[in-house]
Amino acid sequence: MTWRALPKVELHLHLEGAAPPEFIRGLAKEKRIDLSKIFAQDGSYAYRDFVHFLSVYEAATSVLKSPEDFKRLTLAVLEESASEGVVYSETFLSPDFCGGRDLVAWREYLAAMAEAADEADAKFGITLKGIVTCIRHFGPDKARETARCAAETKGDFLRGFGMAGDENVGKPGDFTWAFDCAREAGLRLTSHACEWRGPDEVTQTLDALKVERIGHGVRAHSDATVMARVIDEGVVLEVCPLSNVVLGVFADMASHPIERMRAQGVKVTVSTDDPPFFHTTMSKEYAALEQAFGWDEAVFAEINSTALEAAFCDAETKEKIAARLANGR
Ligand code: ADE
Ligand code: ZN
């Protein structure tokens, strides 16, 4: 079955990581920047492993230099997501890549992305909300500046704060100030954790950062104590199955723990992370889950309703999206 037409909610998507390679090549050409090293012969992004992926990601992002570039990117990404049946999306936005965490510049970038979101809602029927992310391997000082940018611009469009980047650098407790600052401003919280490190990373992230959602969290599946806590506290996992398989977190879909976690009572959701980097789309994720675990429409309805419940948007938006999920379009 093709899952394209099914209305979907996606909670974990990196805006720059969703940039089609042709889009980045086009901007590089316009700006006369040589990016040939980051592309394979077939035109897709080329990287060797996770750390190299992060540096290719940052190189690709370096061609995005103005609010107008981010507006074009946001529109291109939302057009693609809408064509995959996504009706509600939350994307990670990075002040690091939008004017270097300068608040005045950040406001302009954010306004451009919010404008693109409004246009995409009208043109493609998709709602977008933003989550500012700090980047772990850039360190706690930059994370503090990022949190300040987020705290100052919280609103109808910007709903949350989180952390991405290399989990093997530093520890969650280094970022407590940034997450406290964002929480005090009324932002909702999520953080990447336990994509690469063990279950203790989930414990530290919940204790130090007090997040309600975790990006990935999948390596915690074998730890009964951590799983029990995730279930008891109703922590929602933003699982990105094909990202995990392509990056080698799990050997293949059959060994991915998403189904075991769901069966145990963990609130799992499904997202693409950085779709062109991992040669995925939302409908490919759904097809792979159907094939590996026999997931059907009833399971996907449960997954999307979990995702909508955990979404960081206002109640009115939730009602509107719930009606679209119920109507099947
Ligand atoms: N940034 C973009 N994709 C990421 C991932 N899968 N893990 C951590 N940081 C990221
Ligand atoms: Zn991610």
Side-chain angles (χ1 to χ4, degrees):
M1 150 141 194
T2 166
W3 293 100
R4 252 178 116 119
L6 187 81
K8 305 172 188 72
V9 172
E10 179 165 34
L11 299 181
H12 188 119
L13 181 70
H14 299 262
L15 183 63
E16 304 86 6
E22 318 74 71
F23 179 91
I24 293 296
R25 266 196 299 278
L27 276 186
K29 199 169 165 203
E30 272 175 35
K31 293 166 200 244
R32 297 173 199 282
I33 299 170
D34 178 17
L35 275 188
S36 50
K37 279 210 280 295
I38 70 166
F39 297 112
Q41 289 270 318
D42 67 358
S44 61
Y45 294 111
Y47 55 90
R48 292 182 298 277
D49 53 25
F50 176 62
V51 172
H52 189 222
F53 153 75
L54 290 174
S55 79
V56 167
Y57 183 112
E58 284 161 28
T61 302
S62 70
V63 305
L64 296 156
K65 292 191 180 295
S66 67
E68 181 57 28
D69 292 342
F70 273 86
K71 182 173 177 187
R72 284 163 66 186
L73 171 64
T74 308
L75 273 169
V77 168
L78 291 177
E79 182 170 11
E80 169 63 20
S81 290
S83 80
E84 284 290 318
V86 177
V87 293
Y88 177 86
S89 173
E90 289 183 0
T91 63
F92 298 125
L93 315 174
S94 303
D96 288 283
F97 304 134
C98 296
R101 301 172 307 283
D102 173 77
L103 180 57
V104 174
W106 167 244
R107 283 189 196 282
E108 288 174 20
Y109 280 85
L110 187 67
M113 293 184 275
E115 217 175 280
D118 286 344
E119 277 182 39
D121 200 347
K123 268 196 200 155
F124 314 126
I126 180 169
T127 302
L128 173 70
K129 301 292 177 188
I131 300 173
V132 159
T133 40
C134 61
I135 296 173
R136 185 157 165 170
H137 57 274
F138 291 177
D141 291 344
K142 288 182 176 159
R144 273 192 271 275
E145 294 174 17
T146 304
R148 274 192 216 107
C149 284
E152 291 291 335
T153 51
K154 185 213 161 210
D156 174 53
F157 178 63
L158 181 64
R159 310 298 302 170
F161 181 75
M163 178 160 67
D166 190 351
E167 197 182 342
N168 285 310
V169 177
K171 55 186 194 306
D174 300 338
F175 299 89
T176 300
W177 191 96
F179 278 74
D180 285 349
C181 168
R183 186 184 315 99
E184 281 160 24
L187 289 158
R188 312 273 297 272
L189 303 178
T190 176
S191 179
H192 284 61
C194 210
E195 178 188 14
W196 297 104
R197 297 180 66 84
D200 189 49
E201 196 71 22
V202 167
T203 306
Q204 287 185 45
T205 299
L206 293 176
D207 287 345
L209 308 182
K210 300 181 174 62
V211 298
E212 55 187 290
R213 297 188 342 213
I214 286 188
H216 302 286
V218 285
R219 284 191 186 235
H221 71 96
S222 54
D223 187 313
T225 312
V226 174
M227 280 297 93
R229 177 171 182 192
V230 165
I231 294 163
D232 286 352
E233 295 183 11
V235 177
V236 171
L237 301 189
E238 304 154 6
V239 182
C240 307
L242 290 172
S243 157
N244 296 152
V245 170
V246 171
L247 287 173
V249 178
F250 301 104
D252 51 29
M253 274 300 273
S255 42
H256 196 287
I258 188 167
E259 168 56 15
R260 278 171 281 156
M261 290 170 130
R262 186 185 77 89
Q264 271 182 279
V266 177
K267 291 186 179 180
V268 297
T269 62
V270 172
S271 296
T272 56
D273 213 4
D274 308 281
F277 282 88
F278 307 135
H279 307 281
T280 188
T281 62
M282 280 297 264
S283 53
K284 284 188 185 165
E285 299 283 341
Y286 280 43
L289 290 161
E290 178 189 23
Q291 203 193 10
F293 308 118
W295 284 17
D296 57 12
E297 254 175 275
V299 178
F300 290 123
E302 168 200 308
I303 295 287
N304 280 306
S305 115
T306 301
L308 185 58
E309 239 173 70
F312 291 164
C313 61
D314 55 288
E316 198 184 312
T317 304
K318 276 193 190 180
E319 256 176 55
K320 185 181 92 178
I321 302 300
R324 294 192 65 186
L325 294 182
N327 288 340
R329 66 200 164 90

